């Protein structure tokens, strides 16, 4: 038995897993550049930014986070690990919030490329509630995006003759 407090072995106590909070931060639909208007029937990529927070600095990643993307008439899903950007040198007053944002990239198949019109695009992180979180109400994010038809250019050649 220990004689004083200095002889007591310290045991690290971990926060319960529900200290984690996952959230969808943003959805970006990208064709050539993020800032150009979206064009119907053009190769399309969707980036879903997902983050997590935790007050436990020992939680440095969350494995197998699933994101489901609903776009028009189809649904895509993928899973990956998100790692923390926690830096113990930035901890103040023995309290920290570990935060990380990572991107899930979805490529739209040629036969699913959007035609002209407006689409509600929805991303859901942890759609099957496999990860116990402190807030399950911020796992969805929706955005309405418009795709437009582009007129095809016609090339017209008009010869110019110097004698006319």
């Amino acid at each position: 038995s220990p004689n004083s407090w200095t002889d007591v072995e310290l045991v690290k106590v971990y926060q319960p897993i529900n200290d984690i909070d996952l959230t969808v931060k943003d959805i970006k639909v990208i064709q050539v550049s993020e800032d150009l208007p979206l064009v119907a029937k053009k190769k399309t990529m969707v980036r879903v930014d997902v983050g997590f927070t935790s007050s436990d600095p020992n939680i440095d990643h969350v494995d197998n986070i699933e994101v489901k993307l609903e776009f028009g008439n189809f649904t895509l899903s993928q899973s990956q690990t998100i790692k923390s950007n926690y830096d113990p040198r930035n901890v103040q007053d023995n309290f920290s919030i570990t935060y990380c944002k990572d991107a899930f990239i979805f490529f739209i198949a040629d036969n699913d490329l959007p035609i002209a019109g407006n689409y509600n695009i929805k991303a859901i992180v942890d759609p099957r509630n496999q990860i116990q979180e402190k807030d399950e109400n911020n796992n969805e994010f929706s955005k309405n995006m418009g795709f437009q038809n582009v007129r095809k250019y016609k090339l017209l050649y008009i010869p110019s003759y110097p004698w006319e």
Side-chain angles (χ1 to χ4, degrees), residues 96-114:
S96 68
I97 293 292
T98 301
Y99 172 74
C100 180
K101 185 174 84 170
D102 212 340
F104 288 68
I105 305 296
F106 296 89
F107 292 95
I108 310 305
D110 288 348
N111 57 337
D112 291 325
L113 291 174

Side-chain angles (χ1 to χ4, degrees), residues 63-93:
D63 288 323
N64 299 320
I65 296 176
E66 180 184 4
V67 171
K68 181 169 86 170
L69 179 72
E70 298 174 357
F71 188 149
N73 296 328
F74 66 90
T75 301
L76 298 171
S77 183
Q78 65 174 269
S79 296
Q80 68 186 44
T81 296
I82 293 182
K83 294 191 177 192
S84 167
N85 60 359
Y86 169 71
D87 184 350
R89 295 171 294 184
N90 295 331
V91 175
Q92 297 176 2
D93 301 325

Side-chain angles (χ1 to χ4, degrees), residues 27-42:
I27 298 172
K28 293 276 189 187
V29 180
I30 303 165
Q31 288 179 331
V32 174
S33 171
E34 288 185 31
D35 302 324
L36 294 177
L38 299 171
V39 178
K41 291 295 185 187
K42 188 170 188 170

Side-chain angles (χ1 to χ4, degrees), residues 3-48:
N3 296 330
S4 68
W5 284 106
T6 57
D7 293 335
V8 174
E9 183 179 335
L10 295 176
V11 177
K12 199 168 206 173
V13 177
Y14 290 93
Q15 297 281 342
I17 193 69
N18 65 359
D19 182 54
I20 292 173
D21 185 31
L22 298 169
T23 184
V24 178
K25 296 291 187 183
D26 198 10
I27 298 172
K28 293 276 189 187
V29 180
I30 303 165
Q31 288 179 331
V32 174
S33 171
E34 288 185 31
D35 302 324
L36 294 177
L38 299 171
V39 178
K41 291 295 185 187
K42 188 170 188 170
K43 297 273 186 192
T44 303
M45 177 185 91
V46 179
R47 186 182 79 211
V48 178

